[in-house]
Amino acid sequence: MSRYLFTPPAPVAAPIRGRDELFPIHRIFCVGRNYAAHAREMGAEPDREAPFYFNKSAHHYVPSGSTIPYASETANFQYEMELVVAIGTGGFRIAAADALDHVFGYACGLDMTRRDIQFALREKQRPWDLAKDFENAAVLSEIVPASITGHPGKGLVRLKLNGEVKQSGDLSDLIHPVPALIAHLSRFYHLQPGDIIYTGTPEGVGPVKPGDRLEGMVEGVGNIALAIGPAE
C-alpha cells in the first residue's frame, strides 16, 4: 500500500539526441534581459551588473512539436527564443574557468510569457510568477550532448512566426555568457544534475494567437517547433 495520499506526479524528462535515456529535469532557471537589444525593447537599459533570474516549474515543460492552448488570463501571450543549458554535473561556487565541465548539453527553448501580466507586475514591483511560471510555459527541444555540439559561444539564434523571421540574434551577444551564468548562479544554489538554464532571448519578442506556428533554431544545436491552439 502506498504511503502517499495521492499518486505523486511522474518525473519530468526530455529526450536526448542519439540516446534511449531521458534527461530528468530538476529545476528550470531563466535569465532575464541577457541581450542588450531585448533589454531595451523591454524598456530597460542593459548593463554589466550581475544577472538576475526567475524560475519555472519543471512540470510546465512542453516538448518541441507540441500544440498548447492559448494561455489563460492574458491578452498578450508572447514567445522568447533561447539557448538552454543542461547541467550534468552538480557543483557549488563553481569557477567560471571550470563551468563548462558541468554542462551535459544544450537545447533550444521557448520561454512563453504573459506579457501584459509581466508589465503590470513590474509596474507594481511585484514578482513575475504569474507572467512566467504557468502551465506550458517552458517549451524545450531535445537535449544535445556537448560531445556533439561543443560549447557554442557564437551562432545564430532565430525564431519564425508563421514562416516570417521575428527574432534573429547571435550567442556572442549574450551580456553574460554561459560560463559566467553558471559561476554566478552556483553562488546561490547548489547546482544539481538535471538543472537547466534558459539563457535569455534576443530582440524581436512578440505576441501569438490561436492558429500560429513557431519555428526556432540555435545554430549548431538544433530546432524547436510549437503550435498555438485555442484558449481552454
Side-chain angles (χ1 to χ4, degrees):
M1 177 181 290
S2 172
R3 297 183 61 194
Y4 295 108
L5 179 63
F6 49 85
T7 302
V12 179
I16 301 171
R17 183 183 296 175
R19 299 196 184 187
D20 293 331
E21 303 142 300
L22 298 174
F23 185 91
I25 299 174
H26 183 218
R27 294 174 292 190
I28 299 176
F29 299 99
C30 303
V31 184
R33 299 178 195 153
N34 203 20
Y35 287 81
H38 173 61
R40 293 189 184 98
E41 75 177 348
M42 291 293 101
E45 190 60 31
D47 55 48
R48 288 282 177 178
E49 294 183 3
F52 71 94
Y53 311 92
F54 54 90
N55 296 85
K56 293 177 184 272
S57 167
H59 290 280
H60 296 160
Y61 156 78
V62 175
S64 175
S66 297
T67 298
I68 64 171
Y70 190 92
S72 62
E73 300 301 319
T74 182
N76 192 4
F77 189 30
Q78 294 201 1
Y79 55 79
E80 297 187 10
M81 177 67 206
E82 313 198 8
L83 171 73
V84 178
V85 180
I87 299 296
T89 303
F92 183 56
R93 294 176 179 161
I94 299 167
D98 301 324
L100 296 181
D101 294 338
H102 295 260
V103 175
F104 170 78
Y106 298 89
C108 302
L110 289 169
D111 165 16
M112 303 304 292
T113 302
R114 292 165 166 151
R115 189 71 71 200
D116 46 358
I117 295 178
Q118 182 189 22
F119 285 162
L121 292 171
R122 190 179 71 180
E123 187 71 21
K124 296 179 180 179
Q125 298 184 331
R126 292 177 179 174
W128 292 357
D129 297 62
L130 288 177
K132 290 287 192 177
D133 186 18
F134 57 92
E135 287 92 344
N136 305 312
V139 188
L140 192 68
S141 72
E142 65 179 358
I143 294 172
V144 188
S147 59
I148 296 174
T149 63
H151 296 287
K154 61 181 180 179
L156 178 65
V157 180
R158 186 181 66 204
L159 182 125
K160 293 181 179 180
L161 172 63
N162 300 326
E164 180 182 353
V165 175
K166 294 293 187 179
Q167 290 186 277
S168 184
D170 197 280
L171 297 175
S172 61
D173 294 330
L174 284 167
I175 297 173
H176 304 284
V178 170
L181 291 174
I182 293 172
H184 184 262
L185 190 58
S186 71
R187 290 164 48 190
F188 299 90
Y189 297 90
H190 290 75
L191 293 184
Q192 301 291 328
D195 288 339
I196 62 174
I197 306 169
Y198 281 62
T199 60
T201 193
E203 67 178 318
V205 301
V208 295
K209 63 184 185 300
D212 282 347
R213 181 168 179 81
L214 298 168
E215 297 173 292
M217 58 85 70
V218 177
E219 185 178 356
V221 174
N223 301 279
I224 192 169
L226 183 72
I228 308 299
E232 293 180 331

